[in-house]
Amino acid sequence: STLSSSSASSDVYKRQALGHIRFSVVTIAHRENAITSLITEPPPNVQKLLNISLDEEYAFTSVCPRKRRRKEFWEKMSRLYAAPLEEKLRFFEDVMQGMAVASERVQSYRDIVDAEELWEIVCAQYRRYCGDVPFLDYVWIFRRTQLPFFQLAQMDLPRAKIYHVFASRYGAWAGLMAKIRHRAHLIFDVREDYFLDESNMFDLSGAGHAEGAAYSVTPQFLDIYMKTYNSTLKTIQFLAGFYADTIIAKSRDDHHPVLREELGYKFLMIPSGAEQMPPPAETVSRNGKLTVGLIGDLTSESDAKSFIRASRMVADELRQVRFSLFGVGRFDPTAVNDCVALRNQLG
């Protein structure tokens, strides 16, 4: 059996021809409401669908048979955070085992977030990198960019012979868990990965604070958040590159922490079709029409209905264009019904 781990795991649905291979699909989301329902039935060779939510309101409790090793655990955790990127491999597996493997577990998630040693690490990171933002802001940044991995480390993943993970931070972490726990073949797919920059930073206004409370996010806060996020992603990619058996990439990029020269024997280059020139419009779709689509939240706050109205205006002028609306992320049944009604009204 195999496992595909990421929010992009719907790719496995395309593999119905592989009837002799069994799949499990794991989706990992930051919030419970980010995972709603299937838009289609999975093929019969998908044996298991597992949704993992990393909502901080839910603290995982675990049996910890090796509590006596906690001093050693925190020493290695501190060294892991303080070590340069190339030296983190010395401490990573012991730390992961201390959180993840039932027979070796030293810490539960609740133990970790309540531990004084964790606060010592947070303070050390703050003094080292982030002295120009308020400490409370950095606590929120750390909670947002680091703690979900401590939660995920204690999840039970389906046992498989092959794990195919996409290079989101959570997907890569799931692959590291699977490799260390089950020692199976790990395929690490970095074609969809990205780092944050000014062009793709999302709106953090009010995030992490009481609902409805006014909160102004400063440029320094955004800068520290972006750097912490990217540093975390770079570390996870570096570790995943070491543990992976196969690395799928769309091109060679020597600056990418995974695509290092010494790992060249692991590379499998598959160009991304998204970066190729599309065929002429008359051959794009089955009906000879050019398709224009919107992918996004289907909520009352989104612009889905504006897209439908604009589609009607374009269709009046250009008959060879068709339109598709695809909902991902947040889902509001009332908003969906409104969209359907407006689509029917406008034809």
Side-chain angles (χ1 to χ4, degrees):
S1 63
T2 63
L3 165 73
S4 177
S5 172
S6 117
S7 58
S9 57
S10 59
D11 179 61
V12 84
Y13 286 24
K14 303 174 184 177
R15 306 176 187 178
Q16 299 186 49
L18 304 176
H20 61 291
I21 298 178
R22 292 174 296 152
F23 293 91
S24 294
V25 181
V26 178
T27 59
I28 305 169
H30 219 297
R31 298 181 182 85
E32 186 175 2
N33 61 7
I35 302 173
T36 53
S37 60
L38 296 175
I39 61 173
T40 183
E41 286 296 318
N45 56 336
V46 175
Q47 302 288 303
K48 180 180 293 186
L49 295 173
L50 177 62
N51 294 333
I52 296 177
S53 172
L54 299 179
D55 195 320
E56 288 185 341
E57 296 301 317
Y58 180 68
F60 302 105
T61 57
S62 307
V63 176
C64 302
R66 302 293 181 97
K67 292 183 179 181
R68 295 178 182 177
R69 291 175 47 194
R70 286 186 177 173
K71 181 177 180 181
E72 177 186 354
F73 172 88
W74 282 113
E75 287 177 353
K76 291 186 176 180
M77 178 75 85
S78 298
R79 292 180 183 179
L80 177 67
Y81 269 95
L85 185 63
E86 295 75 12
E87 297 183 15
K88 292 186 184 295
L89 289 166
R90 294 172 53 193
F91 314 106
F92 174 72
E93 187 162 339
D94 285 341
V95 169
M96 177 69 86
Q97 295 277 41
M99 292 188 290
V101 181
S103 61
E104 298 290 327
R105 188 172 287 134
V106 178
Q107 300 278 5
S108 72
Y109 178 74
R110 175 58 67 189
D111 293 328
I112 290 171
V113 297
D114 288 344
E116 292 182 8
E117 292 88 348
L118 178 65
W119 284 103
E120 292 175 0
I121 290 174
V122 173
C123 291
Q125 293 291 104
Y126 174 75
R127 289 191 296 267
R128 187 175 182 181
Y129 300 111
C130 312
D132 54 348
V133 300
F135 179 68
L136 187 60
D137 280 354
Y138 181 68
V139 170
W140 185 88
I141 292 171
F142 188 93
R143 186 185 73 181
R144 183 78 173 177
T145 60
Q146 310 289 306
L147 288 188
F149 298 103
F150 297 152
Q151 289 179 293
L152 185 57
Q154 298 183 21
M155 293 290 90
D156 291 325
L157 294 176
R159 182 177 289 273
K161 296 178 181 178
I162 300 174
Y163 294 87
H164 181 189
V165 301
F166 295 85
S168 63
R169 299 186 308 155
Y170 298 152
W173 190 263
L176 290 168
M177 291 166 49
K179 186 65 177 183
I180 292 172
R181 193 177 304 181
H182 301 310
R183 299 300 178 184
H185 189 95
L186 175 61
I187 302 173
F188 185 51
D189 196 326
V190 301
R191 288 174 297 170
E192 299 182 0
D193 217 352
Y194 66 91
F195 290 84
L196 290 181
D197 57 30
E198 290 78 5
S199 66
N200 60 19
M201 275 294 288
F202 43 86
D203 183 12
L204 294 173
S205 300
H209 300 267
E211 186 173 352
Y215 184 80
S216 177
V217 177
T218 65
Q220 292 86 352
F221 178 96
L222 292 176
D223 182 62
I224 294 298
Y225 185 94
M226 182 171 62
K227 289 178 179 178
T228 306
Y229 180 103
N230 289 341
S231 177
T232 304
L233 177 57
K234 185 175 182 179
T235 299
I236 293 172
Q237 288 182 339
F238 179 85
L239 295 168
F242 175 82
Y243 281 96
D245 298 281
T246 303
I247 301 172
I248 298 178
K250 59 185 177 183
S251 64
R252 276 301 307 271
D253 180 0
D254 294 331
H255 299 292
H256 198 292
V258 175
L259 305 179
R260 305 187 300 279
E261 184 176 352
E262 65 269 24
L263 300 180
Y265 67 96
K266 299 182 180 182
F267 296 160
L268 177 62
M269 297 299 172
I270 301 179
S272 173
E275 294 188 355
Q276 298 175 0
M277 290 297 293
E282 62 269 20
T283 64
V284 168
S285 71
R286 295 168 300 177
N287 301 324
K289 294 184 177 182
L290 175 68
T291 298
V292 178
L294 173 67
I295 301 175
D297 294 338
L298 292 182
T299 65
S300 57
E301 297 86 9
S302 70
D303 260 347
K305 290 196 288 187
S306 297
F307 173 77
I308 296 173
R309 294 189 186 96
S311 300
R312 177 69 269 170
M313 296 169 64
V314 174
D316 288 338
E317 301 293 330
L318 300 173
R319 296 294 182 180
Q320 294 304 309
V321 182
R322 66 177 184 175
F323 306 89
S324 296
L325 179 59
F326 185 70
V328 296
R330 293 182 298 155
F331 177 84
D332 181 350
T334 301
V336 173
N337 291 336
D338 288 346
C339 288
V340 173
L342 183 61
R343 187 274 311 271
N344 293 338
Q345 174 188 343
L346 297 178

